[in-house]
């Protein structure tokens, strides 16, 4: 193992509940009343433009962009006191001692990625934003780009994801993937291809695996 690759939301910090609130509040202006199940099945893990085109097909491209900007501003307003997922700091310290590379691979827009990483005081060797690529998760492209920029093969990396779409993307790129059960049912992450499920980075199963790797 030579690198650890991380998703952002629900992986570095438990932000899914904040995104859920921001999405549901913003959609309410258009008469869409969603709930947690709606968020998980229709929104979580997707790319913003695709979600808006599907849920609000009546909006023009400019109106869709304005909707996304409004939703993301609301998320950042809510995300003022973020805390890293338990065990993340210890894992990153372990990675530094082992001289492992790290990468952030996310569907989140640039402003959100910057906001969250700055709030948590984190930096990565490589940052891959799906909005800058031809396709985002669940397509494997973001993870393939991360591997290219790290100059590594898939078996040399380990990915951490919290959504079925993210797990599918990492597994599709050939990367062994651990699923975090912060926002989605464990069975959905398992079905997507996660080989190990953990609640957070303090899980003894994770550390047993790392010690063997």
């Amino acid at each position: 193992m030579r690198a650890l690759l991380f998703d952002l939301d629900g992986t570095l910090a438990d932000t899914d509940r904040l995104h859920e609130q921001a999405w549901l509040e913003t959609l309410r202006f258009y008469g869409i009343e969603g709930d947690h199940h709606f968020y998980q099945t229709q929104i979580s893990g997707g790319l913003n433009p695709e979600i808006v085109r599907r849920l609000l097909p009546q909006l023009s491209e400019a109106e869709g962009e304005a909707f996304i900007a409004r939703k993301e501003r609301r998320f950042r307003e809510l995300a003022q006191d973020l805390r890293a997922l338990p065990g993340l700091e210890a894992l990153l310290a372990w990675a530094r001692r082992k001289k492992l590379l790290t990468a952030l691979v996310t569907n989140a827009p640039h402003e959100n990625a910057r906001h969250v990483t700055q709030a948590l005081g984190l930096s990565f060797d490589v940052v891959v934003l799906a909005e800058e690529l031809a396709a985002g998760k669940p397509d494997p492209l973001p993870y393939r780009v991360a591997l290219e920029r790290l100059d590594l093969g898939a078996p040399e990396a380990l990915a951490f994801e919290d959504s079925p779409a993210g797990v599918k993307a990492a597994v599709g790129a050939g990367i062994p993937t651990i699923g975090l059960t912060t926002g989605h049912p464990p069975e959905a992450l398992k079905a997507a291809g996660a080989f190990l499920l953990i609640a957070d980075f303090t899980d003894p199963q994770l550390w047993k695996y790392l010690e063997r790797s």
Side-chain angles (χ1 to χ4, degrees), residues 59-169:
L59 298 186
S60 67
E61 184 176 349
E63 289 170 334
E65 291 173 355
F67 174 94
I68 292 167
R70 181 178 185 176
K71 178 267 161 180
E72 298 303 353
R73 281 196 303 271
R74 180 56 179 148
F75 165 75
R76 292 191 292 272
E77 289 172 358
L78 295 168
Q80 294 302 310
D81 298 305
L82 295 180
R83 298 183 185 280
L85 214 62
L88 176 61
E89 293 178 3
L91 176 58
L92 292 174
W94 175 87
R96 286 192 294 271
R97 290 194 301 272
K98 297 289 186 179
K99 294 182 170 47
L100 303 184
L101 298 170
T102 59
L104 178 66
V105 185
T106 178
N107 275 0
H110 175 265
E111 278 300 305
N112 284 12
R114 184 184 62 81
H115 178 89
V116 173
T117 53
Q118 286 188 355
L120 299 177
L122 301 177
S123 63
F124 297 86
D125 296 300
V126 164
V127 174
V128 178
L129 303 174
E131 67 179 10
E132 298 176 350
L133 306 177
K137 305 172 190 177
D139 193 283
L141 180 61
Y143 277 102
R144 288 176 178 156
V145 169
L147 291 173
E148 289 174 6
R149 293 181 183 174
L150 292 166
D151 193 24
L152 297 177
E156 296 177 291
L158 175 66
F160 295 92
E161 277 283 355
D162 75 300
S163 71
V167 172
K168 287 177 183 177

Side-chain angles (χ1 to χ4, degrees), residues 4-43:
L4 302 181
L5 282 59
F6 297 88
D7 177 44
L8 182 78
D9 292 302
T11 301
L12 301 182
D14 188 8
T15 53
D16 276 356
R17 58 190 175 80
L18 304 179
H19 280 291
E20 179 177 331
Q21 180 178 342
W23 270 106
L24 297 184
E25 285 182 5
T26 311
L27 284 170
R28 202 168 292 131
F29 285 99
Y30 292 85
I32 297 178
E33 291 290 339
D35 56 13
H36 180 61
H37 178 73
F38 176 87
Y39 172 76
Q40 283 198 314
T41 57
Q42 301 297 318
I43 296 173

Side-chain angles (χ1 to χ4, degrees), residues 177-201:
T177 304
I178 294 177
L180 287 129
T181 58
T182 50
H184 289 266
E187 56 271 21
L189 299 173
K190 197 76 172 177
F195 76 90
L196 178 65
L197 303 177
I198 59 175
D200 57 43
F201 299 107

